[in-house]
Each structure stands twice: as C-alpha cells, then as structure tokens.
Amino acid sequence: MADKQGNVKRKESTKKKESSKPQEKAKAKESSKPQEKAKAKESSKPQENAKPEENTKPLENAKPEENSKGPEDPENPEDKVELMELPPFEVITGDRISSFYFKFQFRNVEYSSGRNKTFLCYSVDIQGGGDVETLRGYLEDEHIIAPHAEEAFFTLLLPECNPELRYHVTWYVSSSPCVACAAKIAEVLRSRKGMRLTIMVARLFMWEEPEIQEGLRQLRAAGCKLKIMKPADFIYTWDTYVEPEGQTFTPWVDTQENYEYYEEKLSEILQ
C-alpha cells in the first residue's frame, strides 16, 4: 500500500505542475463536449446483474482523487494503478462462540428479525479399531457470498470420510437448513454410508414454505435425525460451545413454550 500511495502522490504533484500548460486548458474545454456528457450518462447506468453490495460499497482505501480521475494513459507508468480486489465474505470457524451472538442468534423466537447468520456448533465422534476421536467447534456464515454453514461443514471440516470408520455427527444450529442446504446434506448422507447425522435446531427456517417442508422431509428420508432444541440443549450448547466472557446463561422465559410450538410444527411437516 505504501508504494501505491507513493505513486498517487507523485502523480498528483505532476498534475499540479502541468495545470498551467495551454493544452491542459484545452482539455478542460473539451470536457464540455456532447460526447463527454454522453459518457457521463453511460457511467451512471447500473451494470446489469450487479450485486447490491457492490453498487453501494465504496472502494476501500480509495482517495477522492483516484475515484474522479479520467481514462488512464497506458504509456505512462504512473497511470498503471493496480485495483485492489475486495475479499469475499468468508465462513468463520472457531472453538467457542461469543456469548452475545449465542444469546441473540440462538434464541428460539418465532420471528427471527435481524438474524441473517447461521451458527452451527458441531461434534464429530470418529470410531474405528476401538478408538474414538472427537472433533468440536463452530461455524458461522454471512448468507451473502460465502457458502452456508451447513455446506461449509462438509467442504471445509469434513470433506471426505474413511469408509472403514464410523462418523457420528451432531449439530446444534441456530435455524434449520434452507432448501439448497437440505439437498446438499441429503446428498452427502446418501454417499457416505458410515455417517450418522443428528441436527438440533433452535428455530425452523421459513417452515411455512412448501419447498422448505419438502427439503426437511428429504433430510429424514436420507437418514438425518431432525430435532428441536429443548431448554436443556441450550444450556448444554452454552457450556460446551460458548465463551462465557464473565456471563451466565439461563434459558429465556418463553424457551419451553417456543420449543413446544416448533416441535408441533416439525411433527406436522415430517408426518
């Protein structure tokens, strides 16, 4: 970045010296020509199929002078400024969740306004030859560019399984899978005969939608056990996967009531 900033400063100083030349004045007059106005109109049109985030986000570390510059001169080395590509949203992995995120994201309310992430706490018991290896941790996603946490679990944490071993996987998830994730999970379970998966969900995601209901039924048909988290499951998740940060956890007042509500809806969907 230091080199890029240096190039920009040298370029700005060059412009100041050349601003008094006649040809620069001529260029200023040319900028008022009709074709330049046409270009300005064209530049204001949004690109087709552009993501909203890309339209609204300014370039990071970009200076006002750099955003307002005209066409670059390929023969001038000072004009060859390399644009910095912004990194995509990434799936975050770790050992323990922030207590704030747990209390907000895992609350089993009916209307989950503002909860646009999926938090997935996992436990994997790998059995073979009398030995058991246990893996624990969590994933979270942004629901924008990165794959959802359910898909990321198989691509990042457990990309393949040894057919000679047994895998007992348990998830504690802030909400049930979407249509695409349900299809992906069912596909993995059908291809990995030695894997058993139990998904404990705090809430049902858009359970009224027919395609969501069909996805949950496909999961059960593939051998996945779907369950709603009880108050005791929230306490276990807090003790096992959350960084307390000096806080304690007591299930919310309506936790049992909301559990019974979601349990009834899930039973209706899977019957």
Side-chain angles (χ1 to χ4, degrees):
M1 293 300 295
D3 292 339
K4 290 184 181 178
Q5 292 176 355
N7 290 338
V8 173
K9 290 181 180 178
R10 287 196 295 273
K11 184 175 180 181
E12 290 173 350
S13 62
T14 304
K15 285 188 176 180
K16 291 180 180 179
K17 293 180 181 179
E18 295 177 350
S19 61
S20 60
K21 294 183 180 180
Q23 54 268 34
E24 292 299 322
K25 296 181 180 179
K27 288 184 179 180
K29 293 180 180 180
E30 292 175 358
S31 64
S32 62
K33 292 182 180 180
Q35 55 267 33
E36 293 297 324
K37 294 181 179 180
K39 289 183 178 180
K41 293 180 180 180
E42 294 174 356
S43 63
S44 63
K45 294 180 179 180
Q47 295 182 355
E48 296 182 0
N49 300 326
K51 295 183 176 65
E53 293 78 9
E54 295 175 352
N55 289 339
T56 58
K57 290 185 179 178
L59 289 175
E60 293 184 358
N61 303 324
K63 296 183 178 180
E65 294 81 3
E66 295 175 344
N67 290 337
S68 59
K69 289 190 295 184
E72 297 179 358
D73 183 2
E75 297 181 357
N76 188 349
E78 292 185 355
D79 281 345
K80 296 180 179 180
V81 179
E82 182 181 356
L83 296 178
M84 181 177 63
E85 183 179 355
L86 298 178
F89 289 95
E90 297 181 353
V91 172
I92 299 173
T93 62
D95 296 326
R96 289 183 174 266
I97 304 173
S98 162
S99 59
F100 170 81
Y101 281 128
F102 173 81
K103 289 183 176 181
F104 179 71
Q105 297 288 348
F106 271 84
R107 186 165 185 177
N108 62 346
V109 291
E110 180 178 358
Y111 300 103
S112 55
S113 177
R115 293 168 173 84
N116 57 350
K117 290 172 175 267
T118 297
F119 281 78
L120 186 157
C121 303
Y122 63 87
S123 174
V124 182
D125 292 330
I126 307 174
Q127 300 177 354
D131 297 328
V132 178
E133 178 184 2
T134 301
L135 307 175
R136 285 193 180 92
Y138 84 95
L139 302 91
E140 67 173 279
D141 61 40
E142 290 285 350
H143 273 189
I144 302 179
I145 299 176
H148 291 181
E150 297 93 332
E151 180 180 354
F153 174 85
F154 294 112
T155 57
L156 299 179
L157 300 179
L158 204 62
E160 58 184 17
C161 292
N162 186 337
E164 298 181 359
L165 302 178
R166 294 290 180 181
Y167 297 79
H168 296 274
V169 183
T170 303
W171 291 352
Y172 297 87
V173 196
S174 55
S175 63
S176 58
C178 66
V179 175
C181 287
K184 178 64 176 180
I185 296 169
E187 176 186 349
V188 171
L189 291 177
R190 286 191 293 264
S191 63
R192 304 182 185 184
K193 302 300 183 181
M195 178 182 291
R196 298 293 179 266
L197 174 62
T198 300
I199 302 180
M200 312 287 294
V201 300
R203 303 183 304 274
L204 291 178
F205 172 72
M206 298 180 65
W207 60 267
E208 306 96 332
E209 301 297 328
E211 59 270 22
I212 292 289
Q213 297 179 6
E214 181 59 28
L216 297 179
R217 286 191 286 266
Q218 289 181 4
L219 282 177
R220 185 185 63 174
C224 177
K225 294 182 179 179
L226 284 168
K227 298 182 179 180
I228 304 297
M229 292 177 65
K230 300 177 181 179
D233 296 317
F234 289 101
I235 296 175
Y236 171 80
T237 305
W238 171 274
D239 293 338
T240 309
Y241 299 100
V242 177
E243 185 63 49
E245 299 170 337
Q247 300 186 37
T248 59
F249 174 71
T250 301
W252 306 277
V253 175
D254 54 357
T255 303
Q256 179 66 30
E257 179 182 352
N258 292 339
Y259 157 73
E260 294 173 357
Y261 171 82
Y262 279 124
E263 177 68 17
E264 179 181 357
K265 298 304 178 184
L266 181 61
S267 299
E268 294 174 356
I269 292 171
L270 298 180
Q271 67 181 3

mmCIF file of all heavy atoms in Angstrom, residues 124 126 135 153-163 165 167 188 191-192 195:
data_model
loop_
_atom_site.group_PDB
_atom_site.id
_atom_site.type_symbol
_atom_site.label_atom_id
_atom_site.label_comp_id
_atom_site.label_asym_id
_atom_site.label_seq_id
_atom_site.Cartn_x
_atom_site.Cartn_y
_atom_site.Cartn_z
ATOM 1 N N VAL A 124 -18.173 -34.261 16.333
ATOM 2 C CA VAL A 124 -17.950 -35.410 15.456
ATOM 3 C C VAL A 124 -17.193 -36.475 16.237
ATOM 4 O O VAL A 124 -16.062 -36.248 16.675
ATOM 5 C CB VAL A 124 -17.146 -35.021 14.192
ATOM 6 C CG1 VAL A 124 -16.983 -36.231 13.278
ATOM 7 C CG2 VAL A 124 -17.813 -33.869 13.459
ATOM 8 N N ILE A 126 -15.485 -39.981 15.801
ATOM 9 C CA ILE A 126 -14.976 -40.882 14.766
ATOM 10 C C ILE A 126 -14.533 -42.174 15.448
ATOM 11 O O ILE A 126 -13.621 -42.164 16.281
ATOM 12 C CB ILE A 126 -13.807 -40.244 13.997
ATOM 13 C CG1 ILE A 126 -14.219 -38.870 13.458
ATOM 14 C CG2 ILE A 126 -13.338 -41.150 12.870
ATOM 15 C CD1 ILE A 126 -13.091 -38.097 12.803
ATOM 16 N N LEU A 135 -14.160 -34.350 17.519
ATOM 17 C CA LEU A 135 -13.899 -33.011 16.999
ATOM 18 C C LEU A 135 -15.040 -32.100 17.421
ATOM 19 O O LEU A 135 -16.210 -32.461 17.298
ATOM 20 C CB LEU A 135 -13.783 -33.026 15.479
ATOM 21 C CG LEU A 135 -12.796 -34.026 14.856
ATOM 22 C CD1 LEU A 135 -12.896 -33.982 13.339
ATOM 23 C CD2 LEU A 135 -11.374 -33.733 15.314
ATOM 24 N N PHE A 153 -19.473 -27.025 6.368
ATOM 25 C CA PHE A 153 -19.030 -28.102 7.265
ATOM 26 C C PHE A 153 -18.446 -29.258 6.462
ATOM 27 O O PHE A 153 -17.406 -29.818 6.831
ATOM 28 C CB PHE A 153 -20.201 -28.594 8.114
ATOM 29 C CG PHE A 153 -19.865 -29.787 8.969
ATOM 30 C CD1 PHE A 153 -19.272 -29.620 10.207
ATOM 31 C CD2 PHE A 153 -20.131 -31.078 8.529
ATOM 32 C CE1 PHE A 153 -18.953 -30.723 10.989
ATOM 33 C CE2 PHE A 153 -19.827 -32.185 9.305
ATOM 34 C CZ PHE A 153 -19.235 -32.011 10.539
ATOM 35 N N PHE A 154 -19.095 -29.614 5.366
ATOM 36 C CA PHE A 154 -18.630 -30.754 4.569
ATOM 37 C C PHE A 154 -17.473 -30.386 3.652
ATOM 38 O O PHE A 154 -16.639 -31.240 3.340
ATOM 39 C CB PHE A 154 -19.786 -31.320 3.749
ATOM 40 C CG PHE A 154 -20.879 -31.934 4.581
ATOM 41 C CD1 PHE A 154 -22.123 -31.349 4.657
ATOM 42 C CD2 PHE A 154 -20.649 -33.087 5.314
ATOM 43 C CE1 PHE A 154 -23.130 -31.906 5.430
ATOM 44 C CE2 PHE A 154 -21.647 -33.650 6.097
ATOM 45 C CZ PHE A 154 -22.891 -33.051 6.160
ATOM 46 N N THR A 155 -17.400 -29.145 3.209
ATOM 47 C CA THR A 155 -16.317 -28.758 2.299
ATOM 48 C C THR A 155 -15.047 -28.360 3.036
ATOM 49 O O THR A 155 -13.939 -28.594 2.544
ATOM 50 C CB THR A 155 -16.774 -27.599 1.396
ATOM 51 O OG1 THR A 155 -17.194 -26.496 2.213
ATOM 52 C CG2 THR A 155 -17.927 -28.027 0.498
ATOM 53 N N LEU A 156 -15.192 -27.778 4.233
ATOM 54 C CA LEU A 156 -14.021 -27.288 4.964
ATOM 55 C C LEU A 156 -13.563 -28.226 6.076
ATOM 56 O O LEU A 156 -12.363 -28.440 6.253
ATOM 57 C CB LEU A 156 -14.318 -25.909 5.565
ATOM 58 C CG LEU A 156 -14.653 -24.774 4.588
ATOM 59 C CD1 LEU A 156 -14.939 -23.488 5.358
ATOM 60 C CD2 LEU A 156 -13.519 -24.553 3.592
ATOM 61 N N LEU A 157 -14.502 -28.779 6.833
ATOM 62 C CA LEU A 157 -14.145 -29.549 8.031
ATOM 63 C C LEU A 157 -14.148 -31.054 7.814
ATOM 64 O O LEU A 157 -13.342 -31.770 8.399
ATOM 65 C CB LEU A 157 -15.097 -29.192 9.175
ATOM 66 C CG LEU A 157 -15.096 -27.720 9.595
ATOM 67 C CD1 LEU A 157 -16.097 -27.491 10.716
ATOM 68 C CD2 LEU A 157 -13.704 -27.290 10.038
ATOM 69 N N LEU A 158 -15.075 -31.545 7.001
ATOM 70 C CA LEU A 158 -15.151 -32.995 6.794
ATOM 71 C C LEU A 158 -15.361 -33.263 5.298
ATOM 72 O O LEU A 158 -16.401 -33.760 4.873
ATOM 73 C CB LEU A 158 -16.309 -33.574 7.614
ATOM 74 C CG LEU A 158 -16.220 -35.060 7.976
ATOM 75 C CD1 LEU A 158 -15.003 -35.327 8.849
ATOM 76 C CD2 LEU A 158 -17.486 -35.498 8.695
ATOM 77 N N PRO A 159 -14.358 -32.936 4.475
ATOM 78 C CA PRO A 159 -14.521 -33.074 3.030
ATOM 79 C C PRO A 159 -14.654 -34.519 2.553
ATOM 80 O O PRO A 159 -15.183 -34.775 1.480
ATOM 81 C CB PRO A 159 -13.255 -32.410 2.458
ATOM 82 C CG PRO A 159 -12.251 -32.505 3.572
ATOM 83 C CD PRO A 159 -13.034 -32.396 4.830
ATOM 84 N N GLU A 160 -14.158 -35.448 3.349
ATOM 85 C CA GLU A 160 -14.261 -36.868 2.969
ATOM 86 C C GLU A 160 -14.257 -37.731 4.225
ATOM 87 O O GLU A 160 -13.860 -37.287 5.308
ATOM 88 C CB GLU A 160 -13.110 -37.272 2.049
ATOM 89 C CG GLU A 160 -11.746 -37.058 2.657
ATOM 90 C CD GLU A 160 -10.617 -37.381 1.701
ATOM 91 O OE1 GLU A 160 -10.870 -37.453 0.483
ATOM 92 O OE2 GLU A 160 -9.488 -37.572 2.179
ATOM 93 N N CYS A 161 -14.720 -38.949 4.056
ATOM 94 C CA CYS A 161 -14.781 -39.880 5.188
ATOM 95 C C CYS A 161 -14.097 -41.192 4.813
ATOM 96 O O CYS A 161 -14.192 -41.651 3.664
ATOM 97 C CB CYS A 161 -16.236 -40.154 5.576
ATOM 98 S SG CYS A 161 -17.099 -38.744 6.271
ATOM 99 N N ASN A 162 -13.449 -41.791 5.786
ATOM 100 C CA ASN A 162 -12.842 -43.095 5.602
ATOM 101 C C ASN A 162 -13.948 -44.155 5.682
ATOM 102 O O ASN A 162 -14.627 -44.251 6.710
ATOM 103 C CB ASN A 162 -11.786 -43.332 6.679
ATOM 104 C CG ASN A 162 -11.008 -44.616 6.470
ATOM 105 O OD1 ASN A 162 -11.475 -45.550 5.814
ATOM 106 N ND2 ASN A 162 -9.814 -44.667 7.034
ATOM 107 N N PRO A 163 -14.169 -44.916 4.634
ATOM 108 C CA PRO A 163 -15.269 -45.897 4.660
ATOM 109 C C PRO A 163 -15.103 -46.972 5.731
ATOM 110 O O PRO A 163 -16.076 -47.648 6.078
ATOM 111 C CB PRO A 163 -15.221 -46.499 3.250
ATOM 112 C CG PRO A 163 -13.846 -46.233 2.747
ATOM 113 C CD PRO A 163 -13.434 -44.943 3.364
ATOM 114 N N LEU A 165 -14.341 -46.292 8.821
ATOM 115 C CA LEU A 165 -14.641 -45.682 10.114
ATOM 116 C C LEU A 165 -16.110 -45.282 10.193
ATOM 117 O O LEU A 165 -16.789 -45.165 9.168
ATOM 118 C CB LEU A 165 -13.755 -44.448 10.338
ATOM 119 C CG LEU A 165 -12.243 -44.681 10.305
ATOM 120 C CD1 LEU A 165 -11.511 -43.364 10.495
ATOM 121 C CD2 LEU A 165 -11.808 -45.700 11.353
ATOM 122 N N TYR A 167 -18.782 -42.357 11.619
ATOM 123 C CA TYR A 167 -18.840 -40.946 11.969
ATOM 124 C C TYR A 167 -20.217 -40.623 12.560
ATOM 125 O O TYR A 167 -21.227 -40.748 11.869
ATOM 126 C CB TYR A 167 -18.592 -40.069 10.741
ATOM 127 C CG TYR A 167 -17.222 -40.239 10.125
ATOM 128 C CD1 TYR A 167 -16.947 -41.324 9.292
ATOM 129 C CD2 TYR A 167 -16.195 -39.333 10.374
ATOM 130 C CE1 TYR A 167 -15.696 -41.492 8.717
ATOM 131 C CE2 TYR A 167 -14.944 -39.486 9.810
ATOM 132 C CZ TYR A 167 -14.701 -40.570 8.981
ATOM 133 O OH TYR A 167 -13.457 -40.733 8.421
ATOM 134 N N VAL A 188 -24.925 -35.802 0.681
ATOM 135 C CA VAL A 188 -23.750 -36.287 1.404
ATOM 136 C C VAL A 188 -24.082 -37.547 2.191
ATOM 137 O O VAL A 188 -23.315 -38.519 2.195
ATOM 138 C CB VAL A 188 -23.209 -35.187 2.339
ATOM 139 C CG1 VAL A 188 -22.132 -35.752 3.259
ATOM 140 C CG2 VAL A 188 -22.645 -34.025 1.527
ATOM 141 N N SER A 191 -24.233 -40.612 0.072
ATOM 142 C CA SER A 191 -22.948 -41.063 -0.462
ATOM 143 C C SER A 191 -21.995 -41.567 0.622
ATOM 144 O O SER A 191 -21.059 -42.314 0.324
ATOM 145 C CB SER A 191 -22.273 -39.921 -1.244
ATOM 146 O OG SER A 191 -21.988 -38.827 -0.383
ATOM 147 N N ARG A 192 -22.209 -41.173 1.876
ATOM 148 C CA ARG A 192 -21.333 -41.594 2.975
ATOM 149 C C ARG A 192 -22.120 -42.509 3.914
ATOM 150 O O ARG A 192 -22.738 -42.057 4.884
ATOM 151 C CB ARG A 192 -20.789 -40.383 3.726
ATOM 152 C CG ARG A 192 -20.050 -39.394 2.832
ATOM 153 C CD ARG A 192 -19.479 -38.239 3.619
ATOM 154 N NE ARG A 192 -18.872 -37.237 2.765
ATOM 155 C CZ ARG A 192 -18.231 -36.144 3.203
ATOM 156 N NH1 ARG A 192 -18.125 -35.940 4.510
ATOM 157 N NH2 ARG A 192 -17.713 -35.267 2.354
ATOM 158 N N MET A 195 -21.791 -42.474 7.902
ATOM 159 C CA MET A 195 -22.054 -41.259 8.663
ATOM 160 C C MET A 195 -23.485 -41.237 9.177
ATOM 161 O O MET A 195 -24.424 -41.561 8.452
ATOM 162 C CB MET A 195 -21.802 -40.008 7.807
ATOM 163 C CG MET A 195 -22.115 -38.699 8.534
ATOM 164 S SD MET A 195 -21.881 -37.237 7.494
ATOM 165 C CE MET A 195 -20.085 -37.272 7.340
#
